[in-house]
Amino acid sequence: MEDVAKELLSRLVRRIPLVRLRHVLGRWERLSKTQLLSLDFTQPKWALCENLLSLCEENEIAVKDLTEIEMLYRSEYPDQGVWHVFQLVDTSEESLSSDFMHFRDQFKANLKDLINHVSIKMKKLEDESVWIRIAWGGNFSRPNHLKPTYVVHHLQTPYVFVSSLANKHKPLLFQALALSAHCGSVKDVNLSGRCLTALRDLSMRQYKQVFPSRHQKRLEERDLLPNPSIENEHIKLAEYKQQVASEVFGDGVLPKLETAVYKLETKYREHGSENLARRDEPFRGVVKFSSSNLLESLKYCVSSGMASTPVTPLLSSITHKGRNYFVIKDKQHGSVPNTSASKF
Amino acid sequence: MSLLRPFSKLPELNMANVLLVGNDDTFQHVLADAIVKQENNVNVNVRLARTLPLPAENEDSRPRIDLVVLIVNLRSELSLSSTETSLKHLDTGFFLGKVCFLVTGARCTSVPHERLASLRKIAVSLHCPLLFTEDQTAKGISAAAGRVLNILRVSAGLVPLATGLGLSTLIRCSLPPDLDCQD
Amino acid sequence: MLGELGMRGDGGGCGGLVNAPCPFSGVLAHLSALETESVRLVELQREAWRQQATREELCATVERLRAQRDQLRAKVLSATSLQQVMTEVDQENEEKRSEEEKSAGDSQLHMSLLTARLSHVKNLLRAHHLIGGYDITETRRGKGVCFSIATAFEDRTLETYNVEMDLARTMRICRHNIPPFIPLERLAQENFQSDIMAFLDSLSMHLNAYVGRRQQVRLIQELFHGSVKVLESNALCSILVLRCRQVGEKKAAALCTLEYGDPTRCLPTRVTIDSEEKTLTDSPQWNEIQALFLETPAHQALLAIRREERIA
Amino acid sequence: MNPVLCLSLCLTPNNVFCIVVEAGTPWKGNDTVERHLAAVERVGLSRGLSPQAVSILLEFSLSLRSAIGIRVLKFLVPASTVPEEAIIRGVSWLCVDKMPVNMQVLFVRWVLTVFDLIDSKDQLRAIYGFIFNFVTEENLVRRVLVLLFITYPLLELQTRMGCQPFLMHLLSVYKVYCPELVTISVPAKMKSGFKNHNSTWKAALAAVQKSSTTELLSDLQLSVGVSQQPATRKRKLHRHLTIPAVSSSIQSQSRLSGSKVFPLEQLRTFSQLLENLHRIELPAQMGSLLGSTVALHFLDCVRDSSAFLRLNFWLGHLLHEEFIFCKDGGTQDLTEATGFLNTLISTQCFLQEGFAATELFLYKFLNIWDGSLLRPEILGLLSNIPVVPCSRIKTLLFEPLMQLFFTSSLFFKCSVIECLTNMLLKWLTWHSVYAFEDELDISVTSQTPMNMTLSGLMDSVVELVHFVGRISTIGLQLEGYHSLLLSFTLDFYMMVSDMYLKYDLPLVLMPPAGVFYPALFATDPVNLDKLCHIMYRYRTNLMSAKNQEQKMKISRKTYHEFNQYVVSMVSCLWNSRAFQPGMGLEMDEGLLSRSGVPEPWTRFSLVYHPAFLGYAVDFHENCWPERMKMDLSSIKLGKRWDWYVEFLYCQGLQGLKEFMQSSLRRQSSVGGTRATSDSQSQPPS
């Protein structure tokens, strides 16, 4: 068993918490029942790692099987590391009728054409999502399995979720994707976060959105059994705010987004203080909202009246455009670049 | 845009109405529930409002208000300023023992000191009591509800031999001494 | 001096810890315990009282709702087609108008006519919505409209999809909850600015077809639990691979692949069946099965086949 | 640019010694040095470093002001002790102001952490001032004037050079003392700046010493108060309401036996304390004193003002951080706080005096208290405060208390009265302790040196009693004369009535009518009995006061009040002439007749009084068991009356007995009894 495998295994054992490790190893069919039972998950990790190594030795398990473990782990617990969302622009007809086999062969072929030392592992989960694990290698170096890139793609949808992708590999991956998913190009939609499902729901509009309709739900209906001796003077206002908030940010459980970053570049314009107005390079500032669940907190701000209504496009375009990184310049006043209808 | 008046309506039998003004919805609702829960021999009617003035449309459905509780959350500057604006829309008759301030978050580190100080000044100038509240714990909330009820009973005239004005002379806020030049 | 007092305070002051509770705090603690207890009792009493009240209230509402439901049922039974709804509406308006004519003078007559007309239009809209048209709502004080497209399959209403449009400068879609694999962008490019109706129609065709296909898959999984297995499908439900066992002594498995080439229809464009024994695949009955799949929804086709006892 | 002396460290199993190689070896990417550093780090964190290694490494790390220096400082965990000269040299490095700020902070925190391990502190004491100056000028903070001079430069310094960590910490400490000066809001995580419980080395240090000396551990566990269950270590990291362990330089004791210091945590018995009184040294953590009684004895004996200064500073800072400047606005669970405050209360009861820090804290806390948070503890602390000069007692104590009292529930009212009763008891006790000292100095050791004269004390007591009279009058009215509140109020007056005889404070104060008459017409016998007892005590006090007129002067007004009360009591209870002219409480005839009560003047006699009616009926049944129809008036006839009175006495109404006997039998005595002496001459009608 070569030492790459050893290192990979020890790193995996170190990274994965014990309970999850047990679960993952159970899902991983390389070990027999007895072998699994022989493992004692209460002992310290280094000892556990030793035992695992010996077991792998006797089943002579190769690197690709170990990467299986990692892939299982990542797909079971996807909320690790930061995921970036990319969009496949101007997709063609046949992208709608592409199945997994076809896509896999295409992708592998394309990527292997671009770079010779790379190891690709793909699988399709129950929820139609295709998971790709790419271990990159240099021109003369073997694939590095310790820093793999993970790509998640839902067939027939124009969205790709990528985690831990180095800049030098970006063009390669994107070209391969574009070729195998029959689309013109791949563009960054400036949406990133830790929770993969949240990103998916947000970009694919799969969370519960609220649309104005003629039969509105009243607040009284929303909260069960209102106390007769408590009366709200501003009930209409409250309902309106509630409605606006849920129209902007959705209803029910919102996607779990952690941050939203706004880069401001503005020129100081005020008559009187010339020295400030004259300087030509703009003032730069970064505003960063962060929370365990950003959308929930923003929604609360709106519904509780802390933020003014109607909601400023800066906030509402987090959900409407599905992005959480904005650059705000002077020219397009307050609004966000590329506000064209290019993405739905 | 009308001034809220204390004596424009007739009182009802065994009825006490309290108006909670504040823009912290959650706390307001919890407090209202606690108040309604705790009173058992007269029926209390709680009305919630974000700010004053109250909307004119339910002017006639609104009963006579016996006590106005202005909830100030010291953690937010907005709360204080909105309270200040609300004060302008209260009839002077209320300040004869029918107004009290309810302060939350006074023990929080992030609260700048002068916010509380300015609030105190307001309360002193208006001869209003200043009730402090632990809004994070259920016990604190029920205690606050109890205190509001105590004042409400008196100001609604449900306690014999006691009037709101008389009580307010006893519990009106006073400027605390500066403790640091005592030695 | 104080030292001796201290010693008095704790038994001889041998180096134990100061943990004798303050002699006075007992009373205070007891008092606050009493208070919490009293508050609890009051709340319990209050709560019981209130629950009783709410219970009665709820019973009343249940009764009311029951009555309402029966009314609606009756109405639905009577009004099945648009015509009937419209006639009904007209009758209502007639009644209104007649009694208004009786009651009001000329000045009011005009007004009442207008109101009647308004209600008529509203009723039309409602009827239209009832039979699955697009529901249009004005949003943001006229700066936008929101179309909601109801989908249905085999007279069963399924999801409602919404498209909100911004009418401010150029008409454009500002938000929607259309699934990503519906080519909304392309549809919009085709005939969005030209006529909105065509756009909505094509969109609703796509949506209905998609929902229909998905529903078929669901139905198959429900109805043929165990016997027929859905081997593969995809998000768009544009391909469906089924495996069914045919009756007979050797229970050969047949693999039928349905390809839905046309995304606006919920019927397959191409059906291929291959089975373990080649003789069976080109036998005539299999061909008619193929035909069946091509013109009836998959689950019904399967039902039919099972009725003829070709498959288990 | 600066002559860095580079070391390459090589390692032997149990300690580190260093070889100086020539300067100028490059640091970056110097693998050998890196490897050695790693090795030393491992040893330092696992076994701790020997003294000489510590001193060398300290010198080394401070000398090169770089990341590596900081890193070295981080794993500088002494196994046994820290040589003093090392510290001093370190401080000298501190004075060379080339050291980066974060390093300075780190170093100072390190010193604070290992403070207990420094082998001897004789020379170190010389530069205490400097070190403490660096941490917090604890004894400056109290003086507002100095504070002004300190804080303003600091503030503008802070505005000039931004939020330097140590400045922020310093300011946060000042904020405790005068928040109106420091108006910047200090971020919560900053506020744990100079405390060593969350410093880098604490855990490692503890671990190392656990492994090294177990007997030390057992010592600690013996001698330390609240914070001993091992679970608290984790909690200590974020909440620190635990009382630290008594620990001074014991390790140095075991090694260098030359020095004359006796560590506090070796104290077990009081006798030990007496032997080593002269050479005990205070622990580094003054808070640890709260833990053990012996330490408190010691604190009592030494009149070392700096000890109290440090203790008060620690206490004040802790209380403020935990209860006034809460990090999370008070969402934390209160079990720890309760435990801590109870320890504090019992400590104060033990010392029979309150700490100045607690007092100051209470005055601030009362102004933002909601009346329910930690109520028993807060009121318990409040009842321990030393006498407040009557010039400030109103603003400090009465105003906030009143605002809470009248808005809160019945039980809170009772608790407040109880608390004030205890407060009065404390004050009177102090007085009786110091009475024979001509110059009365209540709080000798607490750090607000106010020389309380006898008259000053009396003024405060008068203020207190009047205050209670006022609030209890109105409170009773608000609560509908609830008997619970009434009995608490009467308990207070039970103490007031005895001030002269029991606590020889030459003062007699009568209860207000608003308390007296409700008690007289109370519906339960207990309160009425208490009232009788109180009046009896008043009588005895007044009598003895009258006998020695020259010592104290009781105003005629008091006598008159007393007489009136007695007259109305006797006329109500004994000879059924209530409400009649000249009988104390008078009432209009017409009004009485309109009430429709037949012969109202008898209604509060011993027979008909609502409090005694039960007894009367009982007595009646015992007398005439065969009678079908009850006729209470027959009790008043002949011998039955005396029997009935005896019967009442036998029911445990001692107060009534005392009162009746004292004010009916006595012929010639205070002016008071003259009114009553004739009252018993004619038989009860």
Side-chain angles (χ1 to χ4, degrees), chain D residues 26-168:
Chain D
W27 275 112
K28 295 274 167 288
N30 185 339
D31 294 348
T32 58
V33 173
E34 174 56 34
R35 201 166 60 251
H36 290 318
L37 266 180
V40 179
E41 186 163 18
R42 206 167 50 248
V43 171
L45 290 183
S46 57
R47 287 201 302 280
L49 300 168
S50 63
Q52 65 270 36
V54 167
S55 51
I56 295 169
L57 279 178
L58 184 61
E59 183 78 21
F60 166 61
S61 67
L62 291 184
S63 65
L64 77 144
R65 39 205 81 118
S66 67
I68 295 188
I70 288 177
R71 177 179 163 196
V72 172
L73 203 54
K74 278 224 171 85
F75 63 73
L76 204 51
V77 178
S80 56
T81 64
V82 176
E84 180 179 16
E85 74 277 6
I87 301 288
I88 293 180
R89 297 178 66 155
V91 174
S92 64
W93 274 108
L94 211 54
C95 307
V96 184
D97 63 352
K98 287 213 177 58
M99 198 185 285
V101 175
N102 55 353
M103 191 135 179
Q104 289 176 1
V105 173
L106 203 61
F107 172 68
V108 173
R109 286 170 61 180
W110 183 79
V111 171
L112 283 186
T113 314
V114 301
F115 189 79
D116 308 342
L117 306 181
I118 299 170
D119 48 14
S120 73
K121 305 194 179 68
D122 311 336
Q123 302 159 34
L124 202 55
R125 285 207 180 78
I127 57 172
Y128 261 176
F130 180 78
I131 298 178
F132 279 123
N133 211 347
F134 227 87
V135 185
T136 66
E137 286 82 348
E138 57 176 38
N139 37 13
L140 288 187
V141 174
R142 315 203 126 272
R143 306 265 174 277
V144 174
L145 282 183
V146 190
L147 187 55
L148 286 176
F149 291 130
I150 290 291
T151 315
Y152 282 136
L154 263 177
L155 278 176
E156 59 94 14
L157 193 63
Q158 192 257 349
T159 46
R160 211 175 56 235
M161 54 196 285
C163 296
Q164 302 285 9
F166 68 96
L167 278 183
M168 292 303 284

Side-chain angles (χ1 to χ4, degrees), chain A residues 90-91 93 96-100 124 128 155-159 204-206 209-215 225-229 240 246-248 310 320-321 339 341-344, chain C residues 46 50 54 57-58 125 129 135-139 141 146 162-164 172-186 188 232-239 263:
Chain A
D90 45 45
T91 54
E93 277 291 348
L96 290 181
S97 63
S98 70
D99 64 340
F100 174 60
K124 185 178 171 199
E128 306 293 326
L155 288 176
Q156 288 122 4
T157 68
Y159 291 101
M204 295 193 189
R205 310 274 196 279
Q206 283 176 354
Q209 290 193 68
V210 174
F211 285 91
S213 78
R214 206 173 283 106
H215 3 270
L225 296 190
N227 193 329
S229 54
Y240 168 71
S246 47
E247 270 180 29
V248 171
H320 290 178
K321 297 194 165 18
T339 49
S342 76
K343 70 183 293 288
F344 29 79
Chain C
R46 181 84 187 181
R50 215 187 123 218
T54 43
E57 193 176 315
L58 283 179
L125 269 177
H129 177 64
D135 198 352
I136 306 177
T137 332
E138 175 188 86
T139 63
R141 302 183 196 70
C146 175
N162 302 278
V163 178
E164 187 173 350
R172 60 180 193 81
I173 297 178
C174 53
R175 78 195 179 102
H176 63 88
N177 58 355
I178 309 284
F181 37 77
I182 300 292
L184 185 56
E185 189 176 347
R186 198 147 34 76
E232 189 184 346
S233 174
N234 58 13
L236 187 51
C237 300
S238 63
I239 185 164

Side-chain angles (χ1 to χ4, degrees), chain C residues 184-200:
Chain C
L184 185 56
E185 189 176 347
R186 198 147 34 76
L187 295 178
Q189 278 160 1
E190 282 163 11
N191 44 23
F192 182 48
Q193 306 300 350
S194 57
D195 69 340
I196 188 74
M197 215 51 203
F199 164 70
L200 288 175

Side-chain angles (χ1 to χ4, degrees), chain D residues 634-650:
Chain D
S634 55
I635 295 178
K636 296 190 170 187
L637 305 176
K639 296 290 294 171
R640 302 239 185 267
W641 175 256
D642 303 334
W643 291 354
Y644 177 61
V645 175
E646 278 307 319
F647 172 76
L648 284 184
Y649 294 165
C650 299

Side-chain angles (χ1 to χ4, degrees), chain D residues 200-367:
Chain D
T200 349
W201 309 272
K202 191 72 169 186
L205 195 57
V208 166
Q209 284 170 356
K210 242 202 195 68
S211 57
S212 65
T213 56
T214 48
E215 50 84 20
L216 161 65
L217 191 67
S218 63
D219 270 3
L220 285 181
Q221 265 165 350
L222 264 178
S223 67
V224 168
V226 178
S227 73
Q228 267 323 287
Q229 59 275 37
T232 49
R233 161 149 294 121
K234 264 187 74 60
R235 255 186 302 139
K236 255 193 204 163
L237 294 184
H238 51 94
R239 315 232 321 103
H240 47 287
L241 260 182
T242 48
I243 295 176
V246 184
S247 65
S248 58
S249 53
I250 172 169
Q251 300 85 353
S252 63
Q253 276 316 300
S254 48
R255 280 157 192 76
L256 21 121
S257 54
S259 108
K260 283 277 155 289
V261 207
F262 188 84
L264 197 52
E265 66 269 36
Q266 282 186 350
L267 270 185
R268 284 288 166 276
T269 64
F270 194 67
S271 52
Q272 259 182 335
L273 173 65
L274 294 184
E275 288 155 13
N276 314 325
L277 199 48
H278 54 292
R279 52 196 188 88
I280 286 177
E281 91 161 12
L282 286 167
Q285 260 287 11
M286 285 309 283
S288 58
L289 288 182
L290 294 189
S292 73
T293 40
V294 191
L296 288 177
H297 281 305
F298 171 66
L299 192 64
D300 241 345
C301 307
V302 294
R303 284 276 170 269
D304 174 5
S305 73
S306 81
F308 271 92
L309 201 59
R310 286 170 62 191
L311 184 52
N312 270 317
F313 172 72
W314 175 79
L315 203 55
H317 194 276
L318 190 60
L319 287 170
H320 274 85
E321 285 227 331
E322 286 308 314
F323 299 108
I324 293 188
F325 294 144
C326 293
K327 287 161 186 55
D328 46 7
T331 53
Q332 71 280 55
D333 66 335
L334 296 169
T335 48
E336 253 185 356
T338 321
F340 176 77
L341 289 183
N342 279 328
T343 320
L344 191 55
I345 292 173
S346 40
T347 310
Q348 289 188 348
C349 292
F350 178 81
L351 291 179
Q352 309 262 321
E353 68 180 324
F355 295 110
T358 343
E359 197 183 350
L360 194 62
F361 159 71
L362 280 173
Y363 293 152
K364 286 188 182 178
F365 190 70
L366 278 185
N367 283 311

Side-chain angles (χ1 to χ4, degrees), chain A residues 32-47:
Chain A
S32 68
K33 279 275 169 287
T34 52
Q35 285 174 325
L36 264 180
L37 291 179
S38 70
L39 286 173
D40 164 18
F41 285 91
T42 58
Q43 66 193 141
K45 278 195 165 180
W46 55 268

